[in-house]
Amino acid sequence: MSDDSPVPRSDGVAGSETGRQGVRRVRDSLERRALALLAVGTTLVLLLLFYYPVATVLVEALVVAGRPTLGVFTELLRDPFYFGGLVRVFAGESPLSVARDVLSGEIRLGVVGFTAYQAVLSTLLSLALGLPAAYLLARFEFRGRRTLRSLTILPFVLPSIMVAIGFVATFGRNGTLNGALGLVGLGPVELLFTLEGVLIAHAFYNAPLIARVTTAAWESVDASAVETARSLGASPFRAFVDVIAPQLYPAVLMGSALVFVFTFGSFPIVLALGGFELATIEVFVYQLVRELNYTEAAALAIVELAVSLGVLYGYLRYEAEHTVRSRGIRPLSRRSLVPSEFSVRELLPRLGLGIYALVTLFVFVSPIVSMVYTSVTGPSGLTLDHYRFLVDRQATGAAYQVRPWPAIRNSLLYAVGALSLALPMGVVVSVLTTRRYRGRKLVDTVSMAPLAVSGIIVGIGLLRGPVFGIEVAGWRLSVGGALAIVAAHAVSCYPFVVRTVAPGLESIDGRLVDSARALGASRMRALIDIELPLVWPGVIAGAAFAVAVSIGEFSSTVILATGTAQYTMPVAIERFIGRRLGPATAMGVVLLVVTTISFVIIDRLGGENTGL
Amino acid sequence: MRRRAFLASGAAITTGLAGCSANPVDSGNEGTDDDTLPVATYGSFVDAPSDSPGQWIKEEFEARHDVELEWHTPDQEINHYIERHNEDAGIEPGLYLGLGPHDLVRIDENTENELFAELDGSELEHAEDIDEQYYFDPNDRAIPIYSSYCAIVYDGRTVEKPETFEDLLSPEYEGRVALANPQQGTTGLLFLLWTIDHFGEDGYLEYWEELRNNDIRILDSWEDVYTQFEEEEVPVIVSYSNDRIYAERSGNDMEKHRVSLLHDEGYADVAGIARFAEGTNYELATTFVDFVLSPEVQAVIAERNVTSPVNVETELPEIYREYAKDPDEPVLFGYDVLSENLSTWVDDWGRAIAGGQ
């Protein structure tokens, strides 16, 4: 199946005019079909492995005992446990007076309100920790900059159980932070089991995302526009505010919208570091699913979905109105980290970056280092026992046990498979959503749903649909195992490709494509030869995210894996955790090493001129 | 060129997705012939990083009976089979190993006709040696195979031994006690039921609010709790009474691993085995249940699972005499009480403790 393989050009060979036209016609029709085929394929995969399975679960909130009803929702919206003060707003009270009561602590936020509240705070903290990194990576030149840039995404793939271990070791009572504070006569601080602790963990996961997308935008700012502003007498600060910043807002907002959605649906890390009193909606979705109370679980999941998609829709509307057209291809020149002179202007930003580096040392580096350290310590000091466990398990593990090498191999295979599916899917959806038609932002929002649906709901849907199979004429058709996992991973990571590619496509001057089409290129040809090269940095960023999401994916994988032969690294880590932390952390280090190598490879393959 | 390659491969994979399987509808029991016995259980029974009984059981049973034993460990555990049962998707395993009373309650609330069939004790050689107190299924589907007790594990080097529930409310333990979320983790649920037994239906929430005021840490899972104990973040956790056996074996500091049975009680965590009603090979399933109940296998399960046997004839290894702690008074709610109250108790608890601030 290679409809889109290029037909060799008949260069230099004198063919008749009509012959050439014939060839071109065939080629064009093939290419036209290629785009249509890809669109159909994408739609099919999404329907089969996402929308239909998820719908089978969500419908349980709307159809009870065979009858459609909204009773479950009215019940839910009246429940102060979930909606706190909002219940009174729904009942018709003035929002202002309710807001006053909430602020004065008279009434509670409710679980949904609290979840949104912590998600907003988590997003702000992720911005605070992510933007300086983008500034450093986009505006300064130093040894290892590209490697550092490709590794910013690393925290994104760590299983929460690993992060919890690293955070306890760093921010716990006897952690590194209190040790360091003790040295300078401060502390101790209690961060675990507080909202602050949860926010820092969320920032650990999500600041890298902000950093990555902002860096990309910053590196695509056209230097000539800034130079023009400067030559017209604008100060560097004015040039930044008037020329650079408007080109960064969409990326920053996109990152923020995604972070809000992720932290709004956050589950294990909240309880592992914050405790049950800080439970989010997702905690209750999980509990209800576990109790097999699908009616209420689905209703809550729909509330979750509505809030998340609402935020994404708001962002997409903004993006549509704030696209900066015609991007340049000459990025701003980066400055050396070593100051060229000792002036306030030179020293101040670098001093700020120095303080920021200290913060990142604790928030990002220390938890990861603690994890590595845990993997080489035992009851009697330093040891390689935990790695020996991995080797032994590999050598003697039975078929029904999880072994390290298959886990590594599967993770990589699934990531490659998911990538080769998610990239075309993402590009196709980007093309479809950047065309002009009414309601395209709605389509775009709905295509983002995989980011916003509760993981456990997707899992149950997959189980009931593809895994158990559908009865057709006395046969049960089922999709399970590796293929299903790859497809599920692709579905969960393709929205990242859309979000990194679509804004670029949107900003391409439409006349470029029009000229190509007028000269006889098919839509597909124009996409491959003109548009994609112009947005290549976005494609590479999307690829990196896709691989990260695939390697880190857990909830669908465990459900779709029909046996231990299909387990991945995060699943192995979860299986290896027990009364000792060693084996799991050793596996965690393996995951770190494998993903580090993967990201560096992606970055190197991406080519030097890329924005990510 | 690369761009073309990826577009091509993507399209190829999309069409290649037809890698589905099709089976005739009534194929729930494919592969269950006379020489294979598929048994479902939870993951760590066959695949714990320390030691798990699954491997030994498989080898021993296969050697004795010349059949193949297949372990199935779906991540959703028993819920996976409830789903399959309700969707009519067929159930392959003949048995499920590792059911508790609370699982049975959930099964009966959520399945129409029988998921499990009765196991006839008169056909089991070892049934009469099982300690009566462990039976938890009035309908005789689940036969108990091992038990353990929920207990407090505390770091004897840094804190005093808590002797009672009330002790945990004292300032000494403020912010220093952790347990797993009762809605998700077994140990947390056992502890919650234990407090209900102790304080009664009307008093338990009050006790929990006081625990909350004393800053008790309710974490996601027992693994998170144990992590915080290992890292010396909390000195008191809700875990199992056999903790010291494990500590001794892995060369941990025995002073750090101390066990307290509050009020000399312990809530019993009983696990049973039950036969799927769809299973076809009744004889082989019964043989396996009897095998698991035999004293020799009971001892191996106890040792590798760090649990206690239910067969009174079992001879336990030396380490048990020294380090196992069994309560004078095991606490255990029967099936009937749980089926009346369990979900209400857990929901009420959740609503009382989760803030939504």
Side-chain angles (χ1 to χ4, degrees):
Chain A
M1 144 92 237
S2 55
D3 279 356
D4 52 346
S5 61
V7 177
R9 287 206 178 79
S10 48
D11 41 3
V13 182
S16 73
E17 195 65 26
T18 48
R20 263 210 299 272
Q21 272 178 347
V23 169
R24 183 185 299 151
R25 240 203 327 275
V26 171
R27 196 181 64 197
D28 281 1
S29 73
L30 280 179
E31 284 176 355
R32 256 199 304 281
R33 280 206 196 108
L35 193 59
L37 266 172
L38 275 174
V40 169
T42 299
T43 313
L44 269 178
V45 170
L46 287 176
L47 279 178
L48 189 74
L49 282 148
F50 182 76
Y51 290 101
Y52 173 71
V54 168
T56 60
V57 184
L58 294 185
V59 78
E60 300 220 8
L62 304 166
V63 179
V64 180
R67 276 207 301 273
T69 170
L70 284 174
V72 186
F73 276 101
T74 47
E75 192 96 348
L76 196 65
L77 297 177
R78 284 201 201 118
D79 189 343
F81 174 68
Y82 289 123
F83 286 95
L86 273 179
V87 171
R88 287 161 49 184
V89 178
F90 296 144
E93 214 175 304
S94 133
L96 282 177
S97 71
V98 173
R100 245 201 324 271
D101 285 350
V102 170
L103 288 175
S104 65
E106 242 173 84
I107 43 176
R108 287 175 156 193
L109 277 174
V111 171
V112 178
F114 171 73
T115 307
Y117 168 73
Q118 65 80 26
V120 169
L121 292 180
S122 298
T123 307
L124 291 174
L125 188 62
S126 303
L127 281 169
L129 287 172
L131 291 177
Y135 172 63
L136 171 73
L137 290 169
R139 302 298 300 114
F140 291 90
E141 192 55 75
F142 50 93
R143 269 187 73 100
R145 185 187 68 87
R146 288 191 56 204
T147 308
L148 186 64
R149 193 184 58 190
S150 56
L151 293 187
T152 43
I153 204 173
L154 205 54
F156 213 69
V157 297
L158 287 177
S160 60
I161 199 120
M162 293 288 102
V163 176
I165 293 171
F167 265 62
V168 171
T170 303
F171 297 105
R173 284 200 180 96
N174 311 312
T176 328
L177 177 64
N178 277 328
L181 287 174
L183 287 179
V184 292
L186 296 169
V189 287
E190 288 265 347
L191 275 172
L192 285 192
F193 215 62
T194 61
L195 179 58
E196 291 80 359
V198 173
L199 298 181
I200 295 173
H202 280 165
F204 172 89
Y205 271 114
N206 294 299
L209 177 97
I210 302 260
R212 188 93 178 182
V213 293
T214 312
T215 305
W218 214 320
E219 288 181 336
S220 333
V221 168
D222 190 7
S224 56
V226 181
E227 284 156 10
T228 308
R230 290 298 311 275
S231 68
L232 292 171
S235 67
F237 180 73
R238 275 310 298 252
F240 175 82
V241 170
D242 291 346
V243 179
I244 300 179
Q247 300 190 51
L248 301 186
Y249 292 147
V252 173
L253 269 175
M254 170 178 87
S256 307
L258 291 179
V259 172
F260 178 89
V261 168
F262 294 148
T263 51
F264 189 74
S266 170
F267 158 57
I269 203 76
V270 173
L271 283 191
L273 295 170
F276 191 74
E277 286 165 68
L278 303 176
T280 51
I281 311 184
E282 188 75 356
V283 171
F284 291 93
V285 174
Y286 263 78
Q287 183 231 336
L288 292 162
V289 164
R290 207 183 152 192
E291 286 182 3
L292 300 163
N293 180 350
Y294 289 128
T295 308
E296 211 174 321
L300 269 188
I302 291 174
V303 168
E304 231 180 352
L305 187 62
V307 173
S308 293
L309 287 187
V311 168
L312 285 171
Y313 180 72
Y315 155 71
L316 289 168
R317 290 302 300 257
Y318 168 90
E319 183 192 80
E321 283 158 30
H322 292 81
T323 304
V324 181
R325 293 249 166 249
S326 86
R327 301 188 325 176
I329 38 174
R330 192 163 57 90
L332 295 159
S333 59
R334 281 185 286 270
R335 289 173 292 174
S336 155
L337 254 186
V338 183
S340 53
E341 54 181 40
F342 287 89
S343 66
V344 171
R345 173 176 293 177
E346 283 287 309
L347 288 179
L348 204 59
R350 290 172 175 81
L351 181 71
L353 286 175
I355 294 169
Y356 172 72
L358 199 65
V359 173
T360 50
L361 211 57
F362 279 107
V363 176
F364 298 100
V365 180
S366 174
I368 294 179
V369 170
S370 313
M371 202 183 91
V372 177
Y373 178 73
T374 308
S375 76
V376 292
T377 40
S380 47
L382 288 178
T383 172
L384 283 176
D385 278 353
H386 308 312
Y387 291 91
R388 215 164 287 130
F389 163 84
L390 294 185
V391 175
D392 285 349
R393 174 50 70 92
Q394 182 54 44
T396 62
Y400 48 86
Q401 295 181 316
V402 175
R403 282 167 295 171
W405 168 243
I408 298 168
R409 190 193 56 212
N410 289 342
S411 276
L412 290 173
L413 277 176
Y414 297 160
V416 170
L419 183 63
S420 46
L421 260 177
L423 274 180
M425 280 167 71
V427 169
V428 165
V429 172
S430 301
V431 171
L432 296 180
T433 53
T434 47
R435 289 187 177 172
R436 302 255 165 267
Y437 52 89
R438 272 191 76 84
R440 71 198 174 96
K441 285 297 149 201
L442 274 178
V443 175
D444 202 358
T445 309
V446 171
S447 73
M448 292 293 105
L451 297 177
V453 175
S454 153
I456 189 80
I457 299 285
V458 178
I460 299 294
L462 287 171
L463 199 60
R464 288 181 179 184
V467 178
F468 292 171
I470 305 160
E471 271 186 46
V472 181
W475 288 78
R476 186 169 276 283
L477 304 171
S478 58
V479 190
L483 269 177
I485 295 174
V486 167
H489 283 196
V491 169
S492 58
C493 61
Y494 96 93
F496 283 93
V497 181
V498 178
R499 290 279 58 89
T500 52
V501 172
L505 285 186
E506 187 88 65
S507 69
I508 289 177
D509 195 333
R511 282 170 305 192
L512 283 173
V513 179
D514 293 345
S515 316
R517 297 299 302 272
L519 292 169
S522 72
R523 186 68 191 80
M524 190 75 183
R525 168 74 41 216
L527 176 72
I528 292 178
D529 286 349
I530 292 169
E531 291 174 292
L532 284 185
L534 286 172
V535 298
W536 201 239
V539 176
I540 294 298
F545 278 124
V547 167
V549 171
S550 170
I551 290 183
E553 211 288 329
F554 179 83
S555 53
S556 308
T557 312
V558 280
I559 285 184
L560 289 169
T562 42
T564 46
Q566 286 140 6
Y567 281 172
T568 56
M569 290 188 284
V571 179
I573 288 168
E574 200 240 7
R575 278 284 170 110
F576 292 161
I577 197 117
R579 276 187 165 88
R580 287 174 308 155
L581 303 177
T585 44
M587 192 68 216
V589 171
V590 170
L591 177 134
L592 271 177
V593 171
V594 172
T595 43
T596 299
I597 295 170
S598 313
F599 291 146
V600 171
I601 288 176
I602 290 176
D603 184 69
R604 291 292 180 267
L605 282 181
E608 178 48 79
N609 62 348
T610 63
L612 280 130
Chain B
M1 212 48 239
R2 266 201 314 271
R3 290 193 298 277
R4 295 205 176 101
F6 90 63
L7 287 170
S9 64
I13 287 185
T14 312
T15 46
L17 257 180
C20 321
S21 61
N23 297 305
V25 163
D26 53 1
S27 63
N29 307 311
E30 72 218 72
T32 46
D33 40 40
D34 287 349
D35 47 15
T36 312
L37 175 66
V39 179
T41 184
Y42 57 96
S44 56
F45 191 79
V46 302
D47 188 14
S50 46
D51 195 1
S52 44
Q55 202 160 353
W56 184 90
I57 288 178
K58 177 176 154 79
E59 285 162 16
E60 187 68 21
F61 185 73
E62 289 179 349
R64 282 195 208 177
H65 297 278
D66 193 28
V67 289
E68 194 189 340
L69 176 67
E70 249 179 36
W71 287 121
H72 290 234
T73 52
D75 183 69
Q76 302 274 304
E77 297 174 359
I78 193 64
N79 281 5
H80 179 91
Y81 296 105
I82 296 176
E83 282 278 345
R84 283 199 89 95
H85 178 81
N86 290 346
E87 297 281 315
D88 261 334
I91 292 177
E92 202 183 327
L95 294 158
Y96 191 93
L97 187 158
L99 289 170
H102 45 275
D103 293 315
L104 273 185
V105 168
R106 199 171 60 245
I107 289 162
D108 293 343
E109 275 177 8
N110 291 290
T111 51
E112 297 278 305
N113 42 46
E114 293 291 290
L115 174 67
F116 291 119
E118 203 177 305
L119 264 166
D120 189 353
S122 64
E123 291 183 30
L124 299 168
E125 189 189 334
H126 299 288
E128 57 199 26
D129 296 331
I130 300 174
D131 191 335
E132 269 308 311
Q133 64 173 353
Y134 294 118
Y135 276 98
F136 59 86
D137 183 5
N139 302 325
D140 292 329
R141 292 160 300 173
I143 305 261
I145 49 167
Y146 67 80
S147 78
S148 55
Y149 294 97
C150 174
I152 297 287
V153 172
Y154 67 99
D155 185 341
R157 302 165 312 173
T158 54
V159 286
E160 289 292 308
K161 177 180 183 179
E163 304 269 7
T164 63
F165 281 110
E166 289 76 12
D167 281 356
L168 295 176
L169 302 175
S170 74
E172 187 195 353
Y173 301 109
E174 189 178 346
R176 308 187 76 188
V177 184
L179 80 153
N181 175 8
Q183 298 179 344
Q184 298 283 344
T186 308
T187 43
L189 179 63
L190 300 171
F191 189 75
L192 174 63
L193 293 172
W194 193 5
T195 59
I196 295 172
D197 174 78
H198 188 85
F199 293 97
E201 257 192 308
D202 305 323
Y204 82 103
L205 286 178
E206 208 171 306
Y207 174 69
W208 277 93
E209 302 211 347
E210 289 180 45
L211 275 180
R212 191 178 65 179
N213 295 340
N214 211 25
D215 209 12
I216 191 166
R217 301 187 167 192
I218 306 161
L219 306 176
D220 184 33
S221 64
W222 174 82
E223 282 83 6
D224 289 319
V225 170
Y226 218 87
T227 297
Q228 298 217 350
F229 183 69
E230 289 275 285
E231 301 258 349
E232 302 190 1
E233 177 64 24
V234 285
V236 182
I237 58 170
V238 173
S239 186
Y240 295 104
S241 67
N242 284 345
D243 187 77
R244 284 168 65 77
I245 296 174
Y246 192 89
E248 166 70 16
R249 269 199 221 139
S250 32
N252 292 349
D253 183 342
M254 296 304 284
E255 278 305 305
K256 181 183 170 171
H257 291 260
R258 297 240 158 235
V259 173
S260 167
L261 301 166
L262 303 177
H263 307 273
D264 296 317
E265 295 176 346
Y267 195 95
D269 179 24
V270 187
I273 187 165
R275 191 171 65 82
F276 283 109
E278 280 189 34
T280 46
N281 201 329
Y282 181 77
E283 207 166 316
L284 197 51
T286 319
T287 310
F288 182 75
V289 173
D290 221 14
F291 166 82
V292 171
L293 292 175
S294 64
E296 185 194 352
V297 182
Q298 284 277 296
V300 172
I301 293 179
E303 191 176 356
R304 297 185 180 221
N305 218 25
V306 202
T307 50
S308 304
V310 292
N311 186 324
V312 292
E313 301 295 314
T314 312
E315 292 200 14
L316 284 170
E318 187 60 37
I319 196 171
Y320 268 74
R321 269 191 281 288
E322 189 167 356
Y323 293 114
K325 274 192 102 151
D326 285 350
D328 305 344
E329 280 296 314
V331 183
L332 179 62
F333 280 118
Y335 171 88
D336 296 329
V337 177
L338 289 180
S339 67
E340 289 284 304
N341 303 297
L342 184 62
S343 50
T344 320
W345 284 343
V346 174
D347 289 350
D348 289 353
W349 175 88
R351 284 172 174 260
I353 301 299
Q357 337 283 301

